[in-house]
Amino acid sequence: MAGTLTACGGTGSGGDVTLKLVAADYGDSSANSSQKYWDKLAAAFEKDHPDIKVDVDVYSWNDVDAKVKSMVDAGHAPDMAQIGAYADYAAAGKLYPVSDLLDVPTQADYLSQLADAGKVDGTQYGMPFASSTRLLFYNKKLFKDAGITPPTTWAQLEADAKALKAAGVKIPYALPLGREEAQAETMIWMLSGGAGYTDDVGSYTIDSKQNVATFDWLKNDLVGKGLTGPTAPGKLNRATAFAAFAKGEVGMLNGHPTLMRMAAKQGVDYGTVQLPGPNGPARSTMGVADWMMAFKQNGHSKQVGEFLNYVYSEKNVLDFSREYDLLPVTNSASETMSDAQEDKKLWPFLASLTNSEIYPVGKTSWASVSADIKDQIGSALTANTSPGAVLGRIQNQAAAAESAE
């Protein structure tokens, strides 16, 4: 019985509390597994809080969301989960509001757009944990050999891709709309076209005039002209595209900070620029945040709050961000990073975070809408399909999911 309680955040002898945290793994090998980060952080916290133990289980991104769901469904919610989405649990009344956990300085330190993205019906339940943005990566050697410069407009991107193709580059522009992360590449392009998944009041606008124009351009001017390589965009996953870039086979693609390490490890000299738009650099890029949340089931709000105030200290936020080439989610850590020479390679991503847009994660419908995008968006760029028709179908499904909430 004691083992079961401990596994789910129980109270041990002498009034000690053991908190259970389930977290995602940001490492790419056992050497830099997030388990090592959390074990070290928990040990340091426990040294100053001998009455609180923190037991952390780390799972791959392929498994962690499902693992937490199965624990919650079985009635054994962890005290905390650091995963990809929080809104379903918040809407079901299973999470503590952030104001019940953190002290005021910690709450106020979150970057405002990330804190806002953590709200459901005006109350914050999701605590941003790690963030990143997207920039256009390009292979400097391939660009030099083709005699071209990085694009700032769609027309220049098309011209560059044509020059790369003529120079024998296997994949002039990699367009990963496969299931792995199609919702990301889709949003990047929608933003570069001046729109996005939602309007200013949060209603889905997936088949807006701007979004249809964006996908018409992708179909006709990139895919239709053979500039996206031998694999159909709907069959190309992000991991495959990133690996090809790191091998020197891709001229350009949209990427996040972890691609820097992959490329450098294989000796690819890369550059980054703002995402191109129809008439100049895009006014915004996509930002991504992963989320920390605290479940009410075990009733340990005081102890969870003590631990999370520690997790979100400037030092710990910086340590995690630097370990995994991610962006801080707090103002204090962001300001330090923007002044530190050791973080210079992250500065362009950090600068783009201020005008980035996040997935509509506060909507409980987003999980099903995201799944529909992953399943269908690749077909918008196939030969005999109308992009507008595909976007319209996804919009109808999104509206139905929204009204079912």
Side-chain angles (χ1 to χ4, degrees), residues 19 69 95 160 199 291-292 383:
L19 300 176
K69 184 178 186 302
L95 301 181
D160 283 351
D199 60 18
W291 301 95
M292 178 73 76

Side-chain angles (χ1 to χ4, degrees), residues 55-67:
D55 181 19
V56 186
D57 285 336
V58 170
Y59 296 90
S60 78
W61 273 109
N62 293 329
D63 303 322
V64 68
D65 290 278
K67 178 64 178 178

